């Protein structure tokens, strides 16, 4: 098991199994939890309160470090409130996604507000840079610098492929970079070549949820109609 790999989970049984397998951290991705609770990957349909309640339940079933998404749609104050709530819910770290902000300046203002409100050395804020494929390497570097200036040293780069990793190497020495496997075009092997701080996997968990749901439903139908 790679020391750099942190699996995602969407329910208590998965959390318990991962802990029993020797993992010491788990990622509660909001989209996966939305899929678990609502049957859709669209996290906008999962209310903040429902998300926070579910995260709190999952943190109680394990001693693993829990990383969760801090979701915001209406500014810095909302972000600060959610990060505080996730910390109280038992999370050890939160992921703040730059895709939730209209522009770089709004992202910077939010992180500045969050930096002023977060002073627990045992609690980590991670910046997730989601739009590299849209805004390119220069702005990626700008957003990394914004995060670092606001006290955030942990950076996750998402929505990339194996082909993008060569470009990402250009900024790997300027920050603590981690990666997300969230699509079929990035593999464990290639991601490891960057020696990231850690790798999160949400893609295969989502695939597993869909496959399990189909299999359970299929077996139920066979049992009902064929005995």
């Amino acid at each position: 098991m790679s020391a750099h790999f942190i699996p995602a989970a969407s329910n208590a049984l998965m959390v318990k199994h991962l802990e029993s397998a020797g993992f010491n951290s788990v990622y509660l991705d909001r989209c996966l939890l939305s899929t678990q609770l609502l049957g859709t990957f669209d996290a906008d349909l999962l209310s903040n309160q429902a998300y926070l309640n579910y995260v709190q339940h999952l943190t109680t079933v394990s001693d693993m470090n829990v990383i969760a998404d801090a979701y915001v749609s209406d500014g810095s104050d909302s972000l600060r409130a959610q990060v505080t709530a996730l910390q109280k819910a038992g999370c050890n770290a939160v992921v703040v996604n730059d895709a939730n902000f209209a522009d770089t300046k709004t992202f910077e203002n939010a992180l500045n507000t969050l930096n002023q409100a977060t002073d627990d050395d045992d609690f980590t804020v991670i910046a997730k840079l989601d739009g590299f494929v849209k805004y390119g390497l220069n702005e990626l570097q700008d957003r990394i610098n914004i995060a670092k200036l606001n006290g955030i040293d942990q950076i996750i780069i998402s929505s990339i492929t194996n082909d993008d990793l060569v470009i990402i190497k250009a900024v790997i020495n300027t920050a603590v970079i981690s990666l997300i496997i969230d699509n079929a075009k990035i593999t464990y092997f290639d991601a490891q070549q960057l020696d990231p701080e850690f790798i999160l996997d949400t893609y295969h968990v989502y695939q597993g949820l869909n496959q399990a749901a189909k299999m359970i439903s299929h077996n139920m139908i066979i049992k009902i109609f064929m005995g």
Side-chain angles (χ1 to χ4, degrees), residues 218-227:
H218 177 71
N219 289 342
M220 285 178 62
I221 291 171
I222 290 178
K223 184 66 176 177
I224 290 171
F225 291 102
M226 300 185 67

Side-chain angles (χ1 to χ4, degrees), residues 93-154:
V94 294
V95 175
V96 177
N97 190 341
D98 72 336
N100 295 326
F101 299 94
D103 50 47
T104 303
K105 187 62 179 177
T106 308
F107 180 55
E108 182 175 11
N109 291 340
L111 294 187
N112 182 261
T113 301
L114 188 57
N115 183 34
Q116 295 176 23
T118 308
D119 57 3
D120 186 346
D121 292 338
D122 295 325
F123 184 74
T124 304
V125 177
I126 304 167
K128 177 182 176 185
L129 305 183
D130 198 36
F132 164 70
V133 293
K134 295 180 180 178
Y135 48 64
L137 184 62
N138 289 339
E139 189 160 336
L140 176 68
Q141 184 65 72
D142 289 343
R143 295 186 183 216
I144 288 174
N145 291 337
I146 287 171
K148 292 175 65 178
L149 286 172
N150 287 281
I152 298 176
D153 297 319
Q154 292 270 8

